[in-house]
Amino acid sequence: MAAHLLIVEDEDKLARFVELELQHEGYEVSKAADGREGLRMATEGNYDLILLDIMLPGLNGLEVLRRLMQDNPTPTILLTARDEVMDKVSGLDGGAVDYITKPFAIEELLARVRVALKLHGKVSAESAAKGTSDANEEGVYTWQKLKLDEKKREVTYDGHIIPLTNREFLMLEMLLKNKDIVLSRDTLLEKVCGYDYVGETNMIDVYIRYLRSKIDDAFDVNMITTVRGVGYVIKSDAE
């Protein structure tokens, strides 16, 4: 069955253009022209991915995203003409899996859609199978008393919920799926960001530091190991 995408975009010509391109790629596509309608459709429907504009009438995209992440956390790519760093940070930390600035090349958007679906949507099980996962049950990964549940998008340690941003969750998920395999910063950028990030790879170091603060430091454990000059790994023998 083809992946079903929802476009929430008030620029009619752009929305129609993206719709046609996605349909040409074999996707099923629905559209909404304002924030409230987009939120209603996203909440009531069953979509594999949402393309969400930030500057929307009725309800802005960041508010739509916030409500979606509370009730129906569907993978979401933000579309916007705004290119401020804080807009990107707000969107990504709010739960978006990616961010693309208008004007964009349709080939780039299609590539990001494919990656987002691979990591979070229609072929997520296939992607997981490529790692060295030792899930106790489908979509659940553990280390000591830590438990990551993909379906619930929840991480706990000894029953205590650990609040993670979307990027932190994805980073931890990749490390847990590939226990005992050292993942380079470039690999983590590609897998977590979903595309070749143009910038410093120390972005990964920042997210690792956040994870260590929320898990290692908070529960007095040493979960994430640094392999100097290479990357990071979670070792199963540390359990």
Side-chain angles (χ1 to χ4, degrees):
M1 182 180 296
H4 191 182
L5 278 63
L6 173 63
I7 302 171
V8 187
E9 169 62 63
D10 64 322
E11 295 182 35
D12 184 64
K13 290 183 179 180
L14 176 60
R16 179 58 176 162
F17 171 67
V18 173
E19 177 186 29
L20 291 174
E21 291 291 334
L22 290 171
Q23 289 175 338
H24 181 71
E25 294 293 312
Y27 300 116
E28 182 181 352
V29 183
S30 298
K31 292 188 301 180
D34 65 72
R36 295 191 183 280
E37 177 67 5
L39 179 61
R40 183 193 67 78
M41 292 179 65
T43 303
E44 297 178 359
N46 184 21
Y47 299 97
D48 299 292
L49 183 68
I50 298 173
L51 302 180
L52 176 65
D53 186 25
I54 286 184
M55 300 300 290
L56 289 168
L59 202 63
N60 74 66
L62 291 178
E63 179 61 19
V64 172
L65 179 67
R66 186 187 69 81
R67 298 189 190 187
L68 277 178
M69 292 302 107
Q70 290 179 337
D71 304 319
N72 187 17
T74 304
T76 301
I77 296 176
L78 294 178
L79 310 176
T80 180
R82 302 171 70 177
D83 196 24
E84 295 296 326
V85 172
M86 287 311 300
D87 291 330
K88 295 180 179 181
V89 171
S90 296
L92 295 173
D93 282 348
V97 301
D98 204 351
Y99 186 113
I100 187 167
T101 304
K102 304 174 189 175
F104 50 80
I106 190 62
E107 292 81 5
E108 181 183 4
L109 176 62
L110 294 175
R112 296 192 184 193
V113 165
R114 288 192 294 270
V115 171
L117 288 171
K118 182 178 180 180
L119 289 175
H120 311 283
K122 298 293 286 186
V123 292
S124 57
E126 175 186 341
S127 298
K130 293 180 180 178
T132 57
S133 164
D134 61 346
N136 298 322
E137 57 186 272
E138 185 179 1
V140 175
Y141 304 88
T142 61
W143 182 87
Q144 291 191 9
K145 298 178 181 180
L146 183 134
K147 177 180 177 182
L148 182 147
D149 191 316
E150 284 184 321
K151 293 181 179 179
K152 294 181 179 179
R153 301 289 291 182
E154 180 180 88
V155 176
T156 59
Y157 192 93
D158 197 19
H160 300 281
I161 294 178
I162 303 172
L164 299 181
T165 66
N166 186 62
R167 288 295 170 95
E168 292 166 357
F169 184 93
L170 293 176
M171 185 82 67
L172 179 60
E173 181 182 34
M174 282 304 304
L175 290 166
L176 287 172
K177 282 183 176 181
N178 295 277
K179 277 184 189 176
D180 300 314
I181 296 178
V182 179
L183 300 179
S184 69
R185 290 172 177 81
D186 287 334
T187 296
L188 287 168
L189 273 173
E190 178 184 356
K191 297 297 184 182
V192 174
C193 297
Y195 60 98
D196 292 330
Y197 183 77
V198 180
E200 299 290 338
T201 55
N202 62 10
M203 173 182 178
I204 295 301
D205 300 330
V206 172
Y207 282 110
I208 291 293
R209 187 166 69 248
Y210 291 161
L211 284 174
R212 283 174 168 161
S213 174
K214 294 181 179 181
I215 299 173
D216 295 47
D217 297 345
F219 299 99
D220 193 24
V221 295
N222 185 21
M223 180 180 66
I224 302 173
T225 299
T226 301
V227 180
R228 189 174 298 277
V230 183
Y232 299 95
V233 62
I234 292 178
K235 296 181 179 180
S236 57
D237 59 14
E239 297 179 308

Coordinates of all heavy atoms in Angstrom, one line a residue, residues 66-134:
R66 N 2.6 21.3 17.6 CA 2.6 21.1 19.1 C 1.4 20.2 19.4 O 1.5 19.3 20.2 CB 2.5 22.4 19.8 CG 2.6 22.3 21.3 CD 2.4 23.6 22.0 NE 1.0 24.0 21.9 CZ 0.0 23.6 22.7 NH1 0.2 22.7 23.6 NH2 -1.2 24.0 22.5
R67 N 0.3 20.5 18.9 CA -0.9 19.7 19.2 C -0.9 18.3 18.6 O -1.3 17.4 19.3 CB -2.2 20.5 18.7 CG -2.4 21.8 19.3 CD -3.7 22.4 18.9 NE -3.9 23.8 19.3 CZ -5.0 24.5 19.2 NH1 -6.1 24.0 18.7 NH2 -5.0 25.8 19.6
L68 N -0.3 18.2 17.5 CA -0.1 16.9 16.9 C 0.8 16.0 17.7 O 0.5 14.8 17.9 CB 0.5 17.0 15.5 CG -0.5 17.3 14.3 CD1 0.3 17.4 13.0 CD2 -1.6 16.2 14.2
M69 N 1.9 16.5 18.2 CA 2.8 15.7 19.0 C 2.2 15.3 20.3 O 2.6 14.3 20.9 CB 4.1 16.5 19.3 CG 4.9 16.8 18.0 SD 5.5 15.3 17.1 CE 4.4 15.4 15.7
Q70 N 1.2 16.0 20.8 CA 0.5 15.6 22.0 C -0.5 14.4 21.8 O -0.6 13.5 22.6 CB -0.3 16.8 22.6 CG 0.6 17.9 23.1 CD -0.2 19.0 23.7 OE1 -1.4 19.2 23.3 NE2 0.4 19.8 24.6
D71 N -1.2 14.5 20.7 CA -2.3 13.6 20.4 C -2.1 12.6 19.3 O -2.6 11.5 19.3 CB -3.6 14.3 20.1 CG -4.0 15.3 21.2 OD1 -3.8 15.0 22.4 OD2 -4.4 16.4 20.9
N72 N -1.3 12.9 18.3 CA -1.2 12.1 17.1 C 0.2 12.4 16.5 O 0.3 13.0 15.5 CB -2.3 12.4 16.1 CG -2.3 11.4 15.0 OD1 -1.7 10.4 15.0 ND2 -2.9 11.8 13.9
P73 N 1.3 11.8 17.1 CA 2.7 12.2 16.7 C 3.1 11.6 15.3 O 3.8 10.6 15.3 CB 3.5 11.6 17.8 CG 2.7 10.5 18.4 CD 1.3 10.9 18.3
T74 N 2.5 12.2 14.3 CA 2.9 11.7 12.9 C 4.2 12.4 12.5 O 4.3 13.6 12.7 CB 1.7 12.1 11.9 OG1 0.5 11.5 12.4 CG2 2.0 11.6 10.5
P75 N 5.1 11.7 11.8 CA 6.3 12.3 11.3 C 6.0 13.5 10.4 O 5.1 13.4 9.6 CB 7.0 11.2 10.5 CG 6.5 9.9 11.1 CD 5.1 10.2 11.6
T76 N 6.6 14.6 10.7 CA 6.3 15.9 10.0 C 7.5 16.6 9.5 O 8.5 16.8 10.2 CB 5.5 16.8 11.0 OG1 4.3 16.2 11.5 CG2 5.2 18.2 10.3
I77 N 7.4 17.1 8.2 CA 8.5 17.9 7.6 C 7.9 19.3 7.5 O 6.8 19.5 7.0 CB 8.9 17.4 6.3 CG1 9.5 16.0 6.3 CG2 9.9 18.4 5.6 CD1 9.9 15.4 5.0
L78 N 8.6 20.3 8.1 CA 8.2 21.7 8.0 C 8.6 22.3 6.7 O 9.7 22.2 6.2 CB 8.7 22.5 9.2 CG 8.3 22.1 10.6 CD1 9.0 22.9 11.6 CD2 6.8 22.2 10.7
L79 N 7.6 23.1 6.1 CA 7.9 23.9 4.9 C 7.7 25.3 5.2 O 6.6 25.7 5.7 CB 6.9 23.5 3.7 CG 6.7 22.0 3.4 CD1 5.6 21.9 2.4 CD2 8.0 21.4 2.9
T80 N 8.7 26.2 5.0 CA 8.5 27.6 5.3 C 9.5 28.5 4.6 O 10.5 28.0 4.2 CB 8.7 27.8 6.8 OG1 8.6 29.1 7.2 CG2 10.1 27.3 7.3
A81 N 9.1 29.7 4.4 CA 9.9 30.7 3.8 C 10.8 31.3 4.9 O 11.8 32.1 4.6 CB 9.1 31.8 3.2
R82 N 10.6 31.0 6.1 CA 11.4 31.6 7.2 C 12.7 30.8 7.4 O 12.7 29.6 7.4 CB 10.6 31.6 8.5 CG 9.3 32.4 8.4 CD 8.4 32.3 9.6 NE 9.0 32.9 10.8 CZ 8.4 32.9 11.9 NH1 7.2 32.4 12.1 NH2 8.9 33.5 13.0
D83 N 13.8 31.5 7.5 CA 15.1 30.8 7.6 C 15.9 31.2 8.8 O 17.1 31.1 8.9 CB 15.9 31.1 6.3 CG 17.1 30.2 6.1 OD1 17.0 29.1 6.6 OD2 18.1 30.6 5.5
E84 N 15.2 31.6 9.9 CA 15.8 31.9 11.1 C 16.2 30.7 11.9 O 15.4 29.7 11.9 CB 14.9 32.8 12.0 CG 14.6 34.2 11.4 CD 15.9 35.0 11.3 OE1 16.8 34.9 12.1 OE2 16.0 35.8 10.3
V85 N 17.3 30.7 12.5 CA 17.8 29.5 13.3 C 16.8 29.1 14.4 O 16.5 27.9 14.5 CB 19.2 29.8 13.9 CG1 19.6 28.7 14.9 CG2 20.2 30.0 12.9
M86 N 16.2 30.1 15.1 CA 15.3 29.8 16.2 C 14.0 29.1 15.6 O 13.4 28.3 16.3 CB 15.0 31.0 17.0 CG 16.2 31.5 17.9 SD 16.9 30.1 18.9 CE 15.5 29.6 19.8
D87 N 13.6 29.5 14.4 CA 12.4 28.8 13.8 C 12.7 27.4 13.6 O 11.9 26.5 13.9 CB 12.1 29.5 12.5 CG 11.5 30.9 12.7 OD1 10.9 31.1 13.8 OD2 11.7 31.7 11.8
K88 N 13.9 27.1 13.1 CA 14.3 25.7 12.9 C 14.4 24.9 14.2 O 13.9 23.8 14.3 CB 15.7 25.6 12.2 CG 15.7 26.2 10.7 CD 17.0 26.1 10.1 CE 17.0 26.7 8.7 NZ 18.3 26.6 8.0
V89 N 15.1 25.5 15.2 CA 15.2 24.9 16.5 C 13.8 24.6 17.1 O 13.6 23.5 17.6 CB 16.1 25.7 17.4 CG1 16.0 25.2 18.8 CG2 17.5 25.8 16.9
S90 N 12.9 25.6 17.0 CA 11.6 25.4 17.6 C 10.9 24.3 16.9 O 10.2 23.5 17.6 CB 10.8 26.7 17.5 OG 11.4 27.8 18.2
G91 N 11.0 24.2 15.6 CA 10.3 23.2 14.9 C 10.8 21.8 15.1 O 10.1 20.9 15.4
L92 N 12.1 21.7 15.1 CA 12.8 20.4 15.3 C 12.6 19.9 16.7 O 12.3 18.8 17.0 CB 14.2 20.5 14.9 CG 14.5 20.7 13.5 CD1 16.0 20.9 13.2 CD2 14.0 19.6 12.6
D93 N 12.8 20.8 17.7 CA 12.6 20.4 19.1 C 11.1 20.2 19.4 O 10.8 19.5 20.4 CB 13.1 21.5 20.0 CG 14.7 21.5 20.2 OD1 15.2 20.5 19.7 OD2 15.3 22.4 20.7
G94 N 10.2 20.8 18.6 CA 8.8 20.6 18.8 C 8.3 19.3 18.2 O 7.2 18.9 18.5
G95 N 9.2 18.5 17.5 CA 8.8 17.2 17.1 C 8.9 17.0 15.6 O 8.8 15.8 15.1
A96 N 9.2 18.0 14.8 CA 9.4 17.8 13.4 C 10.6 16.9 13.1 O 11.6 17.0 13.8 CB 9.5 19.2 12.6
V97 N 10.5 16.1 12.0 CA 11.7 15.2 11.7 C 12.6 15.9 10.7 O 13.7 15.5 10.5 CB 11.2 13.9 11.1 CG1 10.3 13.2 12.1 CG2 10.5 14.1 9.8
D98 N 12.1 17.0 10.1 CA 13.0 17.7 9.1 C 12.4 19.1 8.8 O 11.3 19.4 9.3 CB 13.1 16.9 7.8 CG 14.3 17.2 7.0 OD1 15.0 18.2 7.4 OD2 14.6 16.5 6.0
Y99 N 13.2 19.9 8.1 CA 12.8 21.3 7.8 C 13.4 21.7 6.5 O 14.6 21.4 6.2 CB 13.5 22.1 9.0 CG 13.1 23.6 9.0 CD1 12.4 24.1 10.1 CD2 13.6 24.4 8.0 CE1 12.1 25.4 10.2 CE2 13.3 25.8 8.1 CZ 12.6 26.3 9.2 OH 12.3 27.6 9.3
I100 N 12.6 22.2 5.6 CA 13.1 22.7 4.3 C 12.6 24.1 4.1 O 11.4 24.4 4.3 CB 12.6 21.7 3.2 CG1 13.3 22.1 1.9 CG2 11.1 21.6 3.1 CD1 13.2 21.0 0.8
T101 N 13.5 24.9 3.6 CA 13.1 26.3 3.4 C 12.8 26.6 1.9 O 13.4 26.2 1.0 CB 14.3 27.2 3.8 OG1 14.7 26.9 5.1 CG2 14.0 28.7 3.7
K102 N 11.7 27.4 1.8 CA 11.3 27.8 0.4 C 12.2 29.0 0.0 O 12.6 29.8 0.8 CB 9.8 28.3 0.5 CG 8.8 27.4 1.0 CD 7.4 28.1 1.1 CE 6.4 27.3 1.8 NZ 5.1 28.0 2.0
P103 N 12.4 29.0 -1.3 CA 12.1 28.1 -2.4 C 13.0 26.9 -2.3 O 14.2 27.0 -2.0 CB 12.3 28.8 -3.7 CG 13.3 29.8 -3.3 CD 13.1 30.2 -1.9
F104 N 12.5 25.7 -2.7 CA 13.3 24.5 -2.6 C 13.2 23.8 -4.0 O 12.2 23.9 -4.7 CB 12.8 23.6 -1.5 CG 11.3 23.3 -1.5 CD1 10.8 22.4 -2.3 CD2 10.5 24.0 -0.6 CE1 9.4 22.1 -2.3 CE2 9.1 23.8 -0.6 CZ 8.6 22.8 -1.5
A105 N 14.2 22.9 -4.2 CA 14.1 22.1 -5.4 C 13.3 20.9 -5.1 O 13.4 20.3 -4.0 CB 15.6 21.6 -5.8
I106 N 12.4 20.5 -6.0 CA 11.5 19.4 -5.7 C 12.2 18.1 -5.5 O 11.8 17.3 -4.7 CB 10.4 19.3 -6.9 CG1 9.3 18.3 -6.5 CG2 11.1 18.9 -8.2 CD1 8.5 18.7 -5.3
E107 N 13.4 18.0 -6.2 CA 14.2 16.8 -6.0 C 14.6 16.6 -4.5 O 14.7 15.5 -4.0 CB 15.4 16.7 -6.9 CG 15.0 16.6 -8.4 CD 14.6 17.9 -9.0 OE1 14.7 19.0 -8.3 OE2 14.3 17.9 -10.2
E108 N 15.0 17.8 -3.9 CA 15.4 17.8 -2.5 C 14.3 17.4 -1.6 O 14.4 16.6 -0.7 CB 16.0 19.1 -2.1 CG 16.5 19.2 -0.7 CD 17.0 20.5 -0.2 OE1 16.9 21.5 -1.0 OE2 17.4 20.6 0.9
L109 N 13.1 18.0 -1.9 CA 11.9 17.6 -1.0 C 11.6 16.1 -1.2 O 11.3 15.5 -0.2 CB 10.7 18.5 -1.5 CG 9.4 18.1 -0.7 CD1 9.6 18.4 0.8 CD2 8.2 18.9 -1.3
L110 N 11.6 15.6 -2.4 CA 11.3 14.2 -2.6 C 12.3 13.3 -1.9 O 11.9 12.3 -1.3 CB 11.2 13.9 -4.1 CG 10.1 14.5 -4.9 CD1 10.3 14.2 -6.4 CD2 8.7 14.1 -4.4
A111 N 13.5 13.7 -1.9 CA 14.6 12.9 -1.2 C 14.3 12.9 0.3 O 14.5 11.9 1.0 CB 16.0 13.5 -1.5
R112 N 14.0 14.1 0.8 CA 13.7 14.1 2.3 C 12.5 13.4 2.7 O 12.4 12.8 3.8 CB 13.6 15.6 2.7 CG 14.9 16.4 2.5 CD 14.9 17.7 3.2 NE 16.1 18.5 2.9 CZ 16.4 19.6 3.6 NH1 15.7 20.0 4.6 NH2 17.5 20.2 3.2
V113 N 11.5 13.4 1.8 CA 10.3 12.6 2.0 C 10.6 11.1 2.1 O 10.2 10.3 3.0 CB 9.2 12.8 0.9 CG1 8.1 11.7 1.0 CG2 8.6 14.2 1.1
R114 N 11.4 10.6 1.1 CA 11.8 9.2 1.1 C 12.6 8.8 2.4 O 12.3 7.8 3.0 CB 12.7 8.9 -0.1 CG 12.0 8.9 -1.4 CD 12.8 8.4 -2.6 NE 14.0 9.2 -2.9 CZ 14.0 10.2 -3.8 NH1 12.9 10.4 -4.4 NH2 15.1 10.9 -4.0
V115 N 13.5 9.7 2.8 CA 14.3 9.4 4.0 C 13.4 9.4 5.3 O 13.5 8.5 6.1 CB 15.4 10.4 4.2 CG1 16.1 10.2 5.5 CG2 16.5 10.2 3.1
A116 N 12.5 10.4 5.4 CA 11.6 10.4 6.5 C 10.7 9.2 6.6 O 10.5 8.7 7.7 CB 10.7 11.7 6.4
L117 N 10.2 8.8 5.4 CA 9.3 7.6 5.4 C 10.2 6.3 5.8 O 9.7 5.4 6.5 CB 8.7 7.4 4.1 CG 7.6 8.4 3.7 CD1 7.2 8.2 2.3 CD2 6.4 8.2 4.6
K118 N 11.4 6.3 5.3 CA 12.3 5.2 5.6 C 12.6 5.1 7.1 O 12.5 4.0 7.7 CB 13.6 5.3 4.9 CG 14.5 4.1 5.1 CD 15.7 4.2 4.2 CE 16.7 3.1 4.4 NZ 17.9 3.2 3.6
L119 N 12.8 6.2 7.7 CA 13.2 6.2 9.1 C 12.0 6.1 10.1 O 12.1 5.6 11.2 CB 14.0 7.5 9.5 CG 15.4 7.6 8.9 CD1 16.0 9.0 9.2 CD2 16.3 6.5 9.4
H120 N 10.9 6.7 9.6 CA 9.8 6.8 10.6 C 8.4 6.2 10.1 O 7.5 6.1 10.9 CB 9.5 8.3 10.9 CG 10.7 9.0 11.2 ND1 11.3 9.0 12.5 CD2 11.5 9.9 10.5 CE1 12.4 9.7 12.5 NE2 12.5 10.3 11.3
G121 N 8.4 5.9 8.8 CA 7.1 5.5 8.3 C 6.9 4.2 7.7 O 7.1 3.2 8.4
K122 N 6.6 4.1 6.4 CA 6.2 2.9 5.8 C 7.2 1.8 5.9 O 6.9 0.6 5.9 CB 5.8 3.1 4.3 CG 4.7 4.1 4.1 CD 3.4 3.5 4.6 CE 2.9 2.4 3.7 NZ 1.5 1.9 4.1
V123 N 8.5 2.1 5.8 CA 9.5 1.0 5.8 C 10.4 1.1 7.1 O 11.5 0.7 7.1 CB 10.4 1.2 4.6 CG1 9.7 0.8 3.4 CG2 11.1 2.5 4.5
S124 N 9.8 1.6 8.2 CA 10.6 1.7 9.4 C 11.0 0.3 9.9 O 12.1 0.2 10.4 CB 9.7 2.4 10.5 OG 8.5 1.7 10.7
A125 N 10.1 -0.7 9.7 CA 10.5 -2.0 10.2 C 11.7 -2.6 9.4 O 12.6 -3.2 9.9 CB 9.3 -3.0 10.0
E126 N 11.7 -2.3 8.1 CA 12.8 -2.7 7.2 C 14.1 -2.0 7.7 O 15.1 -2.6 7.7 CB 12.5 -2.3 5.8 CG 13.6 -2.6 4.8 CD 13.3 -2.1 3.4 OE1 12.1 -1.9 3.1 OE2 14.2 -2.0 2.6
S127 N 14.0 -0.7 8.0 CA 15.2 0.0 8.4 C 15.7 -0.5 9.7 O 16.9 -0.7 9.9 CB 14.8 1.5 8.6 OG 14.4 2.1 7.4
A128 N 14.8 -0.9 10.6 CA 15.2 -1.4 11.9 C 15.9 -2.7 11.7 O 16.9 -3.1 12.4 CB 14.0 -1.6 12.8
A129 N 15.5 -3.5 10.7 CA 16.0 -4.8 10.5 C 17.5 -4.8 10.0 O 18.3 -5.7 10.2 CB 15.2 -5.6 9.5
K130 N 17.9 -3.6 9.5 CA 19.2 -3.5 9.0 C 20.2 -3.3 10.1 O 21.4 -3.4 9.9 CB 19.3 -2.3 8.0 CG 18.5 -2.6 6.7 CD 18.6 -1.4 5.8 CE 17.8 -1.6 4.5 NZ 17.8 -0.4 3.6
G131 N 19.7 -2.8 11.2 CA 20.6 -2.6 12.4 C 20.8 -3.9 13.1 O 20.3 -5.0 12.7
T132 N 21.6 -3.9 14.2 CA 21.8 -5.1 15.0 C 20.9 -5.0 16.2 O 21.4 -5.2 17.3 CB 23.3 -5.2 15.4 OG1 23.6 -4.0 16.1 CG2 24.2 -5.3 14.2
S133 N 19.7 -4.8 15.9 CA 18.7 -4.6 17.0 C 18.5 -5.9 17.9 O 18.5 -7.0 17.4 CB 17.4 -4.2 16.4 OG 16.3 -4.4 17.3
D134 N 18.4 -5.7 19.2 CA 18.0 -6.8 20.0 C 16.8 -6.4 20.8 O 16.7 -6.5 22.0 CB 19.2 -7.1 21.0 CG 19.5 -5.9 21.9 OD1 19.1 -4.8 21.6 OD2 20.2 -6.1 22.9

